[in-house]
Amino acid sequence: DAGVIQSPRHEVTEMGQEVTLRCKPISGHNSLFWYRQTMMRGLELLIYFNNNVPIDDSGMPEDRFSAKMPNASFSTLKIQPSEPRDSAVYFCASSYRVEKLFFGSGTQLSVL
Amino acid sequence: LAKTTQPISMDSYEGQEVNITCSHNNIATNDYITWYQQFPSQGPRFIIQGYKTKVTNEVASLFIPADRKSSTLSLPRVSLSDTAVYYCLVADDKLIFGTGTRLQVFP
C-alpha cells in the first residue's frame, strides 16, 4: 500500500488566493483527519470524517476553511482567501481504528 | 484542552534506555493509550498502543499502571535516529495531540 498520499508537497501562494490541498487515504480506512502544524500551536485537529461524513469541524479556524470528502478515496481542504497566518504544514491522516492513525507526508503551505 | 501531560524535552546518549512518562488523569474506562513518533518534515508515526499492564513490540515497550492515570514509553538502547518528538494520546472520538516530548539523542 502506498500509504496516505497528499498533494502538493509544497505550495507557495500570495495572500488572497485560493488554496486547495488534496488527500488520498489508505484504501479500506473509514476515518480521515486533517491536521495543521506550526511551531507556535503544535498539531491542531481541524476536522475529521467518518465514512465520508464530517463528524467534527470545531477545529476549523474560520469560514475561510472548508473540507470535503466526496468519496472514500479523496478529500480536499480549501482555504479561500488565504492569509499569511495560514502558513503551516497541513497533514492528512486516515485510520480504520480511531486510535491508530496513518499520516501522509504533509503539505508545506507558505502564504506570502 | 489536551488530556495528556508529558515533559517538553529529554536528552539521552546512544545506547541508553529512555523512559518518557505521560500523565492522563482523566482517562476514560474505554480509552486506549497510544504513542506516536514524529521526525522533522514528516507526519507522526504510530509506535505502540496499550490498554493496561505492559505491551512490547519491536520498537518500544509501554508500561501502564493499574490506575491507568499515567503511562511510560520505554525505548531500549536509543540511537541517534531515535531523535524525534514523541506524542502520547488518549483515544476518544477525536484525537488531540499535546505538545509532545522532544527527545535528543547525543553520540
Side-chain angles (χ1 to χ4, degrees), chain A residues 1 7 11-14 16 19 24 29 36 38 48-49 56 72 85 89 91 97 104:
Chain A
D1 199 319
S7 63
E11 177 80 30
V12 180
T13 190
E14 293 186 345
V19 174
K24 177 179 169 56
H29 284 189
R36 176 174 70 175
T38 61
Y48 80 96
F49 296 83
D56 188 338
R85 59 193 168 121
V89 180
F91 288 106
R97 282 166 37 199

Side-chain angles (χ1 to χ4, degrees), chain B residues 4-70:
Chain B
T4 61
T5 303
Q6 45 183 130
I8 295 294
S9 64
M10 295 182 69
D11 291 337
S12 183
Y13 292 93
E14 282 191 295
Q16 290 190 332
E17 179 183 76
V18 170
N19 296 308
I20 306 174
T21 296
C22 178
S23 171
H24 28 79
N25 291 318
N26 297 320
I27 189 169
T29 303
N30 295 328
D31 285 346
Y32 278 77
I33 300 154
T34 310
W35 285 79
Y36 288 81
Q37 174 191 56
Q38 185 178 25
F39 297 114
S41 303
Q42 295 185 25
R45 181 177 73 104
F46 173 92
I47 302 177
I48 196 167
Q49 181 182 78
Y51 183 78
K52 62 180 179 180
T53 63
K54 176 184 174 182
V55 179
T56 298
N57 63 22
E58 66 279 4
V59 177
S61 294
L62 179 59
F63 298 92
I64 305 169
D67 66 6
R68 302 194 338 114
K69 293 184 182 300
S70 67

Side-chain angles (χ1 to χ4, degrees), chain A residues 33-100:
Chain A
F33 303 76
W34 282 100
Y35 286 87
R36 176 174 70 175
Q37 187 170 37
T38 61
M39 287 293 293
M40 291 296 294
R41 302 175 67 89
L43 264 169
E44 301 175 276
L45 177 63
L46 301 178
I47 185 171
Y48 80 96
F49 296 83
N50 188 258
N51 293 322
N52 311 337
V53 176
I55 302 301
D56 188 338
D57 64 355
S58 60
M60 296 286 262
E62 300 171 33
D63 291 345
R64 298 184 296 107
F65 286 69
S66 62
K68 294 182 179 179
M69 192 165 185
N71 56 62
S73 59
F74 185 66
S75 177
T76 59
L77 178 67
K78 185 177 294 186
I79 309 173
Q80 167 62 23
S82 59
E83 297 183 3
R85 59 193 168 121
D86 301 330
S87 297
V89 180
Y90 290 80
F91 288 106
C92 174
S94 70
S95 73
Y96 59 90
R97 282 166 37 199
V98 172
E99 317 88 54
K100 188 172 182 178

